Amino acid sequence: ENHDDSGLTLRALVSTKEAGVIIGKGGKNVAEMRDTTGVKAGVSKVVQGVHDRVLTVSGTLEGVSKAYSLIAQTLLDNPISPLPTTTSSTTSSITNNNSNAVATIRLLISHNLMGTVIGRQGAKIKHIQDTSGVRMIASKTLLPQSTERVVEVRGTVDAIHKAILEIGRCLIEDKERAYGTILYNPTKVNTNINGLNDHRIQQQQQQQQNVIRTGNGSDFSSHDFERQQQHQQQQQAFLNDPNVRTQNISIPSDMVGCIIGKGGSKISEIRRLSGSRISIAKVPHDESGERMFTIQGTPEANERALYLLYGQLENEKERR
């Protein structure tokens, strides 16, 4: 299947200095890149004290791949460090303009799509490296307050072009999995999550106000019936709220226990902190053996729930 005309948005992490080089004087470099490849490209704003910026490139698969190879070339042509070998930045390890110079692009890939890029037992990532000649390193941890991970792609300009074509194909083929991704925002990371407590108190107050009285108790022979009816009405009111969104994520079966916790303690905590309702399928939804988690709440509450769920997953993976 030919994906070369399919739409793709691919984000990468760059330093403030690299962003300056990519944009060029008066936006010259980025304008040339847009003209040559037909992509839309931009870099997130400069924020004092934050060194990372996010580069976003959108266009056809071929356009995006070509754009990243041009970015790699621009970084090689304008080495940021005066030293020829530098490990920390995305620049070259050989600062001349020959075709063997090596650049590094730090792609941002949704945690949900990592399996697609890595493949079964690493087969896909090995194939991409073998066919393109790049070296790829996928980070094991999520970026703060997001569900994205960094995948370093290191190679010559030509190799980066080939590798990003392959990576882009994987992402397009499995794009449904990217649903619900919390994008990394370097500017957000320094803000704390103290607002959660205020949110919770406010929510409890709202819930108390939202309780629908169905009678004074003497109307019903059973309090259970009354409680059940209240619960159903509350559930309906919750789902009818125009701000409520529903998101589904798949979790490997062997990880479900660690997310639920002893006697449901961990999932209760995630529900409490996020303000979302979270239900868990009792059986796997397909042959992959993964179980479906359904998250319902406001976009902000769901974002917190996803962040907490993925954080719990990462902690468990590290523990194992």
Side-chain angles (χ1 to χ4, degrees):
E1 196 182 339
N2 183 10
H3 293 294
D4 289 13
D5 297 331
S6 301
L8 174 68
T9 295
L10 197 53
R11 290 154 40 91
L13 216 48
V14 292
S15 69
T16 299
K17 283 182 178 175
E18 287 162 0
V21 167
I22 292 163
I23 293 164
K25 213 169 191 169
K28 176 176 166 287
N29 292 350
V30 81
E32 278 179 10
M33 180 179 74
R34 287 182 188 131
D35 291 345
T36 310
T37 62
V39 298
K40 289 180 179 170
V43 181
S44 62
K45 289 187 178 73
V46 181
V47 176
Q48 207 172 357
V50 178
H51 300 298
D52 280 338
R53 290 171 72 183
V54 175
L55 165 71
T56 305
V57 182
S58 299
T60 62
L61 174 59
E62 175 52 52
V64 170
S65 311
K66 183 74 182 140
Y68 271 103
S69 69
L70 291 174
I71 288 162
Q73 187 63 62
T74 304
L75 291 170
L76 289 172
D77 292 346
N78 302 276
I80 285 153
S81 167
L83 300 169
T85 51
T86 167
T87 49
S88 61
S89 83
T90 308
T91 49
S92 63
S93 46
I94 305 168
T95 50
N96 58 9
N97 285 344
N98 71 24
S99 59
N100 296 325
V102 171
T104 304
I105 300 286
R106 294 181 293 160
L107 296 177
L108 294 173
I109 307 278
S110 165
H111 175 76
N112 286 358
L113 285 162
M114 287 304 281
T116 306
V117 174
I118 293 169
R120 201 177 281 269
Q121 294 176 329
K124 189 73 198 173
I125 200 166
K126 184 179 184 305
H127 170 76
I128 295 170
Q129 292 182 106
D130 291 348
T131 53
S132 66
V134 298
R135 175 144 173 65
M136 287 168 69
I137 302 165
S139 98
K140 288 190 168 61
T141 54
L142 298 173
L143 284 160
Q145 294 183 34
S146 81
T147 56
E148 287 190 306
R149 282 156 65 177
V150 172
V151 176
E152 278 195 7
V153 181
R154 189 171 167 76
T156 63
V157 170
D158 188 45
I160 285 172
H161 181 211
K162 287 178 186 159
I164 289 182
L165 264 176
E166 283 294 325
I167 293 165
R169 279 197 189 102
C170 295
L171 301 179
I172 290 168
E173 275 168 19
D174 236 352
K175 60 175 177 272
E176 288 78 21
R177 276 181 176 267
Y179 181 70
T181 300
I182 301 171
L183 301 177
Y184 175 57
N185 180 348
T187 62
K188 262 188 176 177
V189 171
N190 297 335
T191 60
N192 58 23
I193 316 185
N194 282 351
L196 283 178
N197 287 337
D198 308 338
H199 172 80
R200 201 166 69 237
I201 293 161
Q202 190 186 349
Q203 205 176 27
Q204 282 167 350
Q205 287 166 347
Q206 280 172 351
Q207 279 171 349
Q208 282 159 6
Q209 288 159 7
N210 288 347
V211 171
I212 299 154
R213 298 275 168 224
T214 50
N216 61 8
S218 58
D219 309 355
F220 299 99
S221 55
S222 159
H223 286 300
D224 288 345
F225 176 71
E226 183 181 349
R227 260 207 306 273
Q228 195 180 353
Q229 209 171 28
Q230 277 181 10
H231 175 72
Q232 282 170 350
Q233 285 170 327
Q234 278 181 304
Q235 176 73 0
Q236 204 46 54
F238 177 79
L239 292 175
N240 288 343
D241 183 334
N243 294 321
V244 167
R245 304 274 184 279
T246 299
Q247 285 178 271
N248 293 311
I249 59 166
S250 295
I251 302 281
S253 284
D254 63 336
M255 290 288 188
V256 172
C258 81
I259 286 179
I260 293 172
K262 203 168 187 177
S265 58
K266 288 198 173 133
I267 195 75
S268 298
E269 178 74 352
I270 292 172
R271 285 178 181 130
R272 190 171 65 79
L273 286 172
S274 68
S276 286
R277 297 184 177 193
I278 303 168
S279 56
I280 303 157
K282 289 191 166 55
V283 290
H285 57 87
D286 60 19
E287 65 280 359
S288 71
E290 294 192 335
R291 300 252 296 273
M292 191 67 82
F293 278 52
T294 301
I295 303 162
Q296 292 175 311
T298 63
E300 297 76 21
N302 288 359
E303 186 170 318
R304 277 192 294 268
L306 283 165
Y307 172 58
L308 293 163
L309 283 166
Y310 281 123
Q312 187 59 37
L313 265 182
E314 287 300 315
N315 292 343
E316 182 62 20
K317 281 180 184 165
E318 280 172 27
R319 199 180 66 78
R320 292 181 183 188

